[in-house]
Amino acid sequence: MKRWLFFVYGVTCHILFFAVFAYMAGFVGNFLVPKTIDSTVEGATGTAVAVNLLLLGLFAAQHSIMARPGFKRIWTRFVPTPIERSTYVLASCVVSVVLMWQWRGIDAIVWDARSPLIRALLWVLFAIGWLLVPFVSLLIDHFDLFGTRQVWQHLKGQEYKSLPFRVPMLYKQVRHPLYIGWAIAFWATPTMTVGHLLFAVVLTGYMGLATIVEERDLIDLFGTSIRTVSSPRPQIPTKIDGHRSGLPASA
């Protein structure tokens, strides 16, 4: 029974990620969802900036701290190892929901593309960014990344084994294609507001720092030989390259 409960829990967390990911696309793109990145609330601009920075800091802290090996060693004393990854995904989803729920839009315009052609090109880039994220996760091991492989193997009574180091497709050309997908998704917009710019700048900077930490983790795991490979395979999200996941995917 416990094995089945773990399996259902892991699959539920995985499905929740897709729901949050889809909502976040609408949130950032300003379509289909009731609250978006440019939805404003009453209050001073300074307050909105402060609240948004706190939300982004919470997002970054959760993604980074829970992904650290030292935290995992303590965390798995309380959370069973087979659902550790799924629990990370769940926590990432909760933090993302809080970020979108409490976000304060700042609607001052930074740029607004008026040309129909440029607007269309930016929307195409936006779509490419959001589609690139799940596509890249499939290039490595999507189900391992989100914990479903772990609970499936536990259900079958198999011992979990980490996947081997590899560099498929885009990883042969770019070191962190998942982060590139997120960056495109955050920056490609026909109308950039100050609030959206704050979101994009902070998360892009966070991903840049995450690459440094992630590189160190990969060297600790595989040795310095990975430096001779064009691009390493992340081992875990995120974003998150992707080995911390959530944006979900980060360090």
Side-chain angles (χ1 to χ4, degrees):
M1 178 61 71
K2 182 185 288 187
R3 292 179 188 274
W4 274 104
L5 287 174
F6 283 3
F7 178 71
V8 171
Y9 173 78
V11 171
T12 301
C13 292
H14 196 163
I15 293 171
L16 179 62
F17 163 78
F18 282 116
V20 173
F21 179 80
Y23 192 100
M24 183 174 279
F27 174 81
V28 175
N30 284 292
F31 58 80
L32 297 180
V33 299
K35 169 80 180 288
T36 74
I37 200 167
D38 291 332
S39 297
T40 57
V41 296
E42 291 185 7
T45 299
T47 301
V49 171
V51 169
N52 292 343
L53 287 175
L54 285 173
L55 292 168
L56 291 167
L58 174 65
F59 179 91
Q62 180 273 320
H63 278 73
S64 296
I65 293 171
M66 288 189 71
R68 300 272 59 81
F71 180 88
K72 289 182 181 181
R73 284 191 292 271
I74 299 172
W75 181 238
T76 49
R77 296 176 187 173
F78 309 98
V79 176
T81 301
I83 60 171
E84 181 272 329
R85 186 60 192 171
S86 296
T87 304
Y88 174 88
V89 172
L90 175 62
S92 298
C93 289
V94 170
V95 168
S96 298
V97 168
V98 170
L99 186 153
M100 292 184 287
W101 171 41
Q102 290 297 319
W103 183 261
R104 297 336 192 222
I106 305 171
D107 58 1
I109 302 297
V110 177
W111 73 67
D112 185 22
R114 298 303 178 90
S115 165
L117 177 59
I118 294 176
R119 291 187 72 87
L121 288 174
L122 287 169
W123 279 122
V124 169
L125 275 176
F126 175 88
I128 289 172
W130 286 96
L131 291 173
L132 188 60
V133 171
F135 173 73
V136 168
S137 75
L138 290 170
L139 294 182
I140 42 180
D141 192 304
H142 176 87
F143 295 98
D144 189 80
L145 199 64
F146 290 94
T148 313
R149 177 172 174 262
Q150 290 86 324
V151 294
W152 171 246
Q153 289 189 331
H154 183 68
L155 178 65
K156 295 194 297 180
Q158 298 176 353
E159 182 181 356
Y160 174 74
K161 294 182 179 179
S162 296
L163 295 167
F165 180 91
R166 60 195 182 90
V167 284
M169 294 182 66
L170 291 178
Y171 281 94
K172 290 185 173 69
Q173 311 301 324
V174 181
R175 202 158 186 84
H176 297 283
L178 190 60
Y179 290 150
I180 290 176
W182 281 119
I184 294 171
F186 296 154
W187 284 93
T189 177
T191 304
M192 177 66 80
T193 62
V194 170
H196 192 155
L197 182 65
L198 177 68
F199 181 89
V201 167
V202 172
L203 288 184
T204 302
Y206 168 63
M207 290 188 291
L209 293 174
T211 62
I212 299 172
V213 177
E214 196 165 287
E215 188 80 0
R216 185 189 64 194
D217 287 351
L218 288 169
I219 290 172
D220 289 343
L221 187 61
F222 294 107
T224 56
S225 61
I226 69 164
R227 289 173 174 165
T228 63
V229 181
S230 60
S231 138
R233 175 200 176 278
Q235 286 303 297
I236 308 181
T238 276
K239 71 232 162 138
I240 147 194
D241 151 62
H243 96 250
R244 319 291 184 207
S245 213
L247 290 176
S250 53

